[in-house]
Amino acid sequence: MKISFLSNNKLSENEVIVQVTAHDYSDNVNQLIAYIEEYKHFDQIISINVGNAIKFINQDSLVAIEVYGDELRFFSKKTAYTTRGRLYKTLEKLDRRFVQIARGTVININYLQSLEAGFSGNMTAIMKNDRKINVSRRYLINLKERLGL
């Protein structure tokens, strides 16, 4: 097996294309593709310590993360989990669909339904689960940029 790297400056910073080339489609090729697919799936999972257990949350179901004192609260479509940790460390594990909208808040833009004007120049993010989250002026630029506005 040979492994090579080709640089492509037309790709975004986090974009990677994996191409498997072989003489013919074999069991080894199939196993390699399955391994890569499993890695891709694993990368979508966030693990957090909740009490004496470790919970696994798929990023697809993660709506928002908020800081309350020294706790992080992970809000999925159906459940909320509380743990201790640092928001910036969690942000490093998340993909591009997550954007920080306040000092202690990160949202999944796939669950963003609308933005409404709030008081004193702030905005309110209305999520698809009807949760309302304040967007600070400082982070509004990042959100607009991520949304292409």
Side-chain angles (χ1 to χ4, degrees), residues 95-109:
D95 61 30
R96 273 192 58 76
R97 67 188 129 181
F98 293 90
V99 63
Q100 190 167 4
I101 62 167
R103 184 170 169 234
T105 308
V106 172
I107 63 166
N108 182 338
I109 59 174

Side-chain angles (χ1 to χ4, degrees), residues 1 6 10 37 58 70 80 94-96 98 100 107 118:
M1 180 185 310
L6 298 173
K10 293 180 181 176
E37 285 294 324
N58 192 313
D70 61 347
L94 300 172
D95 61 30
R96 273 192 58 76
F98 293 90
Q100 190 167 4
I107 63 166

